[in-house]
Amino acid sequence: MRLPLRTLGKIAFVLVFSALAGCGGDEGGPSTTGGEVPRKPLFLVANSRGDDVLRFEQDTGAFVDAFIPKGTGGLFHPDAMTLGPEGDLYIASGDTPENSAVLRFDSSTGAFYGEFAKGGGLHRPYGIAFGPDGRLYVSSFLTDQILRYDGKTGDFVDVFKEGNGMPGGLNGPNGLLFGPDEKLYVTTQGSVAENGMPTFPGLPSQVLQIDVTSGEMKVFADQPDLSPAGHGYISLLGLAYGPDCNAGLCELYVSDYANDIRRYDFATGMLLGTISTNYTGSTPSTNYLGALSFGDGGRIFAVGFDVNEAKGNPGTVLRFDVDGQPLPASGQSGAVLVNADARLARPIGILALP
């Protein structure tokens, strides 16, 4: 079982990502000779114990900078990150009812714009996603709810869904993603919150599908088999859909905190394959896995960290092609792009900026 607080999209958003290319010195722009400097695609990593967000190069894994320094704007235990319709960066932050919020930053400079959404009972926000209805959906992990906020003002709207402690329910909601079908996909840990703490009554970890117009919710993918190198449980976490989301060819990729990334057919929910994320080589592995994100060229970026808290849970970034073949950095093995780095302190969130 995953211990408390993880101790143990629409297609249109692609246009937003593309619009970011060329912003800032690291991402290209005019040169002093009048030509265009090739941009360097970057990705962001949110440190859940470092309370900051770091930038790295997608092509080499090289560290760029502390994009959002420690504690900026009250940033605390950051988790999921997403780009809003206008291109700003939104980050889930906080672990108490008092400090839980979605913070807003400039996605090019890291400048803090303020607390965008909070209140309404929000307690430990994990997944965040802007919906086709113009609202921001936030999974409130420690109340087993999905809350809605106005997508422009951040004002609280309502409790959209809440858990019932039954299989197929919103039990420990985690990642959120709007698919190309405009339905909301949610990963659940299988926990039930009691007095602000998760309990584990033996419920499955699943991917749910919600029609936000009708409110109908169903199981999209049931709990998969255990990872051969995992930790003896399943805790589905991150969500991303593949770069080739043409009619009938779309795939949903889901990360598991206890190891591995699984690929599902968007049309049927059928499991298509599994990508190993055990970068330590031991069985069980000595790493956990956070979120995942697609970057330039359809490459998959995923972040993990060492299970040893005494070491500070140093993080590692993995890279794969769309079929799950490892794409290590020069001099690295397996799928390792960024080798264990103490600057990555129990990282969970990752967001590629093509």
Side-chain angles (χ1 to χ4, degrees), residues 130-154:
F130 285 89
D133 56 359
R135 291 170 172 168
L136 174 66
Y137 290 71
V138 183
S139 57
S140 179
F141 176 69
L142 291 179
T143 61
D144 293 333
Q145 296 173 323
I146 295 176
L147 308 180
R148 291 196 292 192
Y149 300 84
D150 186 285
K152 293 183 178 179
T153 67

Side-chain angles (χ1 to χ4, degrees), residues 301-324:
F301 296 83
V303 64
F305 58 90
D306 194 301
V307 301
N308 193 332
E309 291 187 39
K311 295 180 180 178
N313 299 124
T316 297
V317 179
L318 307 177
R319 184 175 62 184
F320 306 88
D321 69 16
V322 70
D323 295 319

Side-chain angles (χ1 to χ4, degrees), residues 78-271:
D79 197 271
M81 300 179 287
T82 193
L83 296 178
E86 75 301 309
D88 287 340
L89 174 66
Y90 294 80
I91 305 177
S93 172
D95 64 351
T96 70
E98 293 74 26
N99 67 13
S100 290
V102 178
L103 307 183
R104 182 179 181 182
F105 298 85
D106 186 292
S107 61
S108 297
T109 67
F112 178 57
Y113 287 155
E115 289 185 336
F116 180 74
K118 67 179 305 181
L122 182 62
H123 189 179
R124 195 36 173 145
Y126 277 170
I128 50 178
F130 285 89
D133 56 359
R135 291 170 172 168
L136 174 66
Y137 290 71
V138 183
S139 57
S140 179
F141 176 69
L142 291 179
T143 61
D144 293 333
Q145 296 173 323
I146 295 176
L147 308 180
R148 291 196 292 192
Y149 300 84
D150 186 285
K152 293 183 178 179
T153 67
D155 292 337
F156 176 68
V157 175
D158 60 13
V159 176
F160 174 60
K161 289 289 181 182
E162 55 189 329
N164 57 9
M166 301 294 291
L170 199 68
N171 306 309
N174 204 324
L176 298 181
L177 176 72
F178 276 94
D181 54 3
E182 299 192 348
K183 293 180 180 178
L184 180 62
Y185 292 81
V186 187
T187 53
T188 64
Q189 178 177 265
S191 58
V192 174
E194 294 183 2
N195 300 316
M197 296 294 288
T199 64
F200 299 91
L203 294 168
S205 177
Q206 301 170 313
V207 181
L208 307 180
Q209 180 195 76
I210 306 175
D211 186 316
V212 297
T213 301
S214 67
E216 179 186 2
M217 183 170 72
K218 65 180 183 179
V219 176
F220 172 78
D222 212 339
Q223 178 168 297
D225 293 336
L226 295 173
S227 167
H231 298 275
Y233 61 91
I234 300 290
S235 184
L236 302 180
L237 192 157
L239 294 160
Y241 56 80
D244 298 322
C245 261
N246 301 316
L249 298 177
C250 200
E251 295 179 2
L252 178 67
Y253 292 70
V254 183
S255 66
D256 179 359
Y257 181 81
N259 265 265
D260 291 350
I261 295 170
R262 295 172 179 85
R263 298 166 46 221
Y264 295 91
D265 185 296
F266 237 129
T268 65
M270 179 183 297
L271 180 65

